[in-house]
Amino acid sequence: MIVTAVLIILSISLAFYFRNYALNSSDQKLLNDLERIEQEILSQHEPVIESTKVITEENLIIYQDGQFVSSNTETDRSVFNYILNSEGLQEDTFFVKDEENIDYMVKVLNMTQYYDTDTMLIKYSDMSPIYKSIRDITMIISVSAFVLFIVTTLFAFILIQRITDPLIDLRNASLKMASGKFQKLEVKNFDEIGELTLAFNKMSEDIKGNIDNLEYEKNLRESIFTSISDGIVFFDESNSQIYRNKEGNTWFKEISQHESLIEKINECIIRCRENFESYSITEELDTDTYIEIFFTPVNYAESKTGVTMTIRNVSHEKKLETMRAQFISSVSHELKTPMVMVTGYTEALLDEIVTDPKEVKNMLSIIKEESDRMNHLINELIEINKLETESGLFNIKVNDLNVLMADLQKRFDYEMKKNQLNFRVKNRLNNSLVPFDYDKMYQVFTNLIDNSIRYTSDGDTISINIDETNTHVVITLSDTGIGMKASTLNRIFERFYKEDKARTRGKQGTGLGLSIVKSIINGHKGTITVDSEYEKGTTFIMTLSKGEQL
């Protein structure tokens, strides 16, 4: 549009310039001719201008003393009529059309000052050649302007496209960048637009790199916080939650159901922020579920203080603490009775209250039996501790289950006959070679069979069945004894847990045997479960891997 306007203005200006130039040139030529004629007439010093001058000069009219002297052509008459019809000539140059509608420029030179009467020299010129030249020049200018318009428009289009296309690409890339999509633009030129494109690509790479770093740090932080077993909740200055990890979200939903705990948490947050000190509280959410909540002040912005709340499940610690107390109580109770008996009988012997050799021997026998009982208890406690703390305690290698079963039958043959029990072993394995620790598994079956003997009656049966799956050996030890109540099944592997003494045959154990069994099976990376029906019998089911490496 600018180029078009400039070309139009320039074309019009040039057309007017050449028109005015042509007209001025014609006017000047007529003036020069009149001045020349004037000099010639004045040089003759005649009172009247000779009429012959009209003949020698082309297109000349002489006006003197009210008379026109000319060649009397149609053009001369048109000039006469124009002058006669004019109320005094206002200008010395004017235009006249003849009968053929041809324009003529007429120039008048007043010579009245040289004569006693009004005298003028009039000369005219045909404007047709001038107009034709003006039209030709105007046409040339118009054609040139049109050609220039086409050329400049094409050039401007190419130039604008060269400029705007990269700018449009930059705009589109910027909009995509705003929506999170990054792209690298092609640098087509090395001008200012090309440098701008290079700068944009560099900026895009830097922004993408920064976003990737922020995203990586965010994901890393989120992964770290998610992997933490503790719940994390962050409160800003207005007590609004602006972050919760997965555990924090779970715990806070549960905490929200306890209004009194929510009020206590809000009080701790306010106190933590105001005093800029860390606090902690321990609360019981429900039965066997305890949480410990830590409040830590954090300066997260200029003059702004938030609070990080860490929620930790301490139910296991509470359970361990309870178990520790129960363990100490159970050990104390188990040791107290034999210690009292040993102390009492020892004092009786030292004080010579008993002097009869048979009674002395009976007391010493009781002291020995109670000492053995305490020693057995201590040994079992040491055994459990080793099984749970020393991972290299097991010597697992390929052994023959048939050999183990044969040894067990020899070991319990006398006791089975003594207690009138049936003992059966059935092995359905295609290959009885299985990786296990022979001594530890011997101890497992010894404890389980001893346990079964105590809870069976004459005529009952204790059986061991060995089956297999593709990956495991399944060993089932069953008895047809008195069984257990359903309420006790989930406690039989606890330390010091014992069934009702009145329901057992012979001496009651220490309550550690089944705990040792479970620890040994766990050491083999196997499993042990129990199924029992009261007055019908009990079944222990063990699984061991067939793999050579555990």
Side-chain angles (χ1 to χ4, degrees), residues 153-206:
T153 300
L154 181 61
F155 176 76
F157 177 77
I158 295 173
L159 182 62
I160 290 172
Q161 190 176 26
R162 185 185 179 93
I163 294 174
T164 56
D165 284 354
L167 292 178
I168 292 173
D169 291 340
L170 285 170
R171 182 200 62 184
N172 294 335
S174 299
L175 293 175
K176 289 181 180 180
M177 184 188 298
S179 61
K181 299 178 181 179
F182 295 88
Q183 69 178 85
K184 187 175 182 181
L185 298 177
E186 180 183 357
V187 181
K188 299 178 180 179
N189 304 297
F190 291 95
D191 52 7
E192 289 80 0
I193 301 297
E195 293 178 357
L196 178 61
T197 304
L198 286 172
F200 177 85
N201 288 339
K202 180 65 169 59
M203 179 187 69
S204 178
E205 290 177 1
D206 291 343

Side-chain angles (χ1 to χ4, degrees), residues 250-308:
T250 302
W251 279 114
F252 204 83
K253 287 181 179 179
E254 190 169 348
I255 290 173
S256 300
Q257 300 176 6
H258 301 77
E259 294 182 3
S260 59
L261 181 55
I262 289 293
E263 293 178 1
K264 185 180 292 187
I265 288 174
N266 291 332
E267 292 176 359
C268 290
I269 291 174
I270 295 173
R271 186 171 59 176
C272 177
R273 183 183 294 110
E274 290 177 351
N275 299 334
F276 206 79
E277 292 181 0
S278 298
Y279 295 94
S280 66
I281 57 175
T282 303
E283 297 290 330
E284 181 181 5
L285 291 182
D286 50 44
T287 306
D288 296 332
T289 303
Y290 294 85
I291 59 171
E292 190 171 10
I293 306 175
F294 300 88
F295 302 90
T296 306
V298 178
N299 288 325
Y300 66 96
E302 184 178 357
S303 69
K304 290 185 178 181
T305 302
V307 176
T308 300

Side-chain angles (χ1 to χ4, degrees), residues 215-266:
E215 191 69 23
Y216 171 76
E217 292 177 1
K218 177 185 175 182
N219 293 336
L220 178 61
R221 183 173 60 252
E222 189 65 29
S223 297
I224 293 173
F225 286 150
T226 302
S227 64
I228 296 175
S229 58
D230 297 340
I232 298 176
V233 183
F234 183 78
F235 297 87
D236 62 7
E237 195 174 38
S238 60
N239 271 17
S240 298
Q241 299 178 33
I242 62 176
Y243 177 79
R244 286 190 300 195
N245 68 348
K246 183 178 180 180
E247 289 296 323
N249 189 52
T250 302
W251 279 114
F252 204 83
K253 287 181 179 179
E254 190 169 348
I255 290 173
S256 300
Q257 300 176 6
H258 301 77
E259 294 182 3
S260 59
L261 181 55
I262 289 293
E263 293 178 1
K264 185 180 292 187
I265 288 174
N266 291 332

Side-chain angles (χ1 to χ4, degrees), residues 10 66 92 94 129 165 191 267 330 333 358 377 403 420 440:
L10 181 61
D92 59 356
F94 55 90
D165 284 354
D191 52 7
E267 292 176 359
S330 297
H333 177 75
K358 289 184 178 181
L377 174 63
V403 175
Q420 299 182 13
K440 295 294 186 299

Side-chain angles (χ1 to χ4, degrees), residues 27 51 129 173 230 302 325 338 346 361 384 430 435 439 491 512 543:
D27 183 84
S51 59
D230 297 340
E302 184 178 357
T346 303
K361 185 177 181 180
I384 291 177
N430 294 323
D439 293 334
R491 298 192 60 192
L512 296 173
T543 61

Side-chain angles (χ1 to χ4, degrees), residues 5-231:
V6 169
L7 287 175
I8 291 173
I9 294 172
L10 181 61
S11 298
I12 294 173
S13 299
L14 287 174
F16 275 102
Y17 171 78
F18 283 114
R19 181 179 182 279
N20 291 335
Y21 177 78
L23 294 176
N24 290 335
S25 297
S26 298
D27 183 84
Q28 187 64 38
K29 185 176 182 305
L30 290 175
L31 180 60
N32 291 338
D33 289 344
L34 289 174
E35 287 178 348
R36 176 181 56 77
I37 295 170
E38 180 186 36
Q39 293 298 324
E40 292 177 355
I41 292 173
L42 291 176
S43 64
Q44 294 177 0
H45 303 287
E46 297 291 337
V48 179
I49 301 174
E50 297 180 357
S51 59
T52 56
K53 199 67 176 175
V54 175
I55 300 173
T56 58
E57 294 291 338
E58 184 180 1
N59 299 333
L60 179 63
I61 300 173
I62 299 174
Y63 174 80
Q64 191 173 23
D65 194 19
Q67 297 294 324
F68 288 97
V69 180
S70 68
S71 300
N72 199 24
T73 62
E74 291 294 335
T75 305
D76 292 344
R77 285 192 292 273
S78 297
V79 174
F80 294 159
N81 293 331
Y82 182 84
I83 293 173
L84 291 174
N85 294 330
S86 298
E87 297 178 358
L89 292 173
Q90 301 297 326
E91 296 178 352
D92 59 356
T93 303
F94 55 90
F95 293 89
V96 175
K97 291 182 179 291
D98 62 4
E99 293 180 352
E100 296 179 358
N101 204 29
I102 298 174
D103 281 341
Y104 290 90
M105 177 182 282
V106 181
K107 186 72 174 177
V108 179
L109 181 62
N110 193 351
M111 295 182 64
T112 302
Q113 70 269 26
Y114 300 115
Y115 295 94
D116 295 334
T117 60
D118 291 337
T119 303
M120 292 183 296
L121 295 178
I122 302 169
K123 191 170 177 61
Y124 61 88
S125 174
D126 187 0
M127 295 302 294
S128 297
I130 300 299
Y131 285 166
K132 184 177 183 305
S133 298
I134 292 174
R135 285 194 301 271
D136 292 342
I137 291 173
T138 302
M139 180 61 67
I140 292 171
I141 292 174
S142 299
V143 172
S144 300
F146 180 74
V147 173
L148 287 174
F149 169 75
I150 297 298
V151 173
T152 53
T153 300
L154 181 61
F155 176 76
F157 177 77
I158 295 173
L159 182 62
I160 290 172
Q161 190 176 26
R162 185 185 179 93
I163 294 174
T164 56
D165 284 354
L167 292 178
I168 292 173
D169 291 340
L170 285 170
R171 182 200 62 184
N172 294 335
S174 299
L175 293 175
K176 289 181 180 180
M177 184 188 298
S179 61
K181 299 178 181 179
F182 295 88
Q183 69 178 85
K184 187 175 182 181
L185 298 177
E186 180 183 357
V187 181
K188 299 178 180 179
N189 304 297
F190 291 95
D191 52 7
E192 289 80 0
I193 301 297
E195 293 178 357
L196 178 61
T197 304
L198 286 172
F200 177 85
N201 288 339
K202 180 65 169 59
M203 179 187 69
S204 178
E205 290 177 1
D206 291 343
I207 292 176
K208 187 176 185 302
N210 292 334
I211 291 177
D212 290 342
N213 290 335
L214 290 174
E215 191 69 23
Y216 171 76
E217 292 177 1
K218 177 185 175 182
N219 293 336
L220 178 61
R221 183 173 60 252
E222 189 65 29
S223 297
I224 293 173
F225 286 150
T226 302
S227 64
I228 296 175
S229 58
D230 297 340

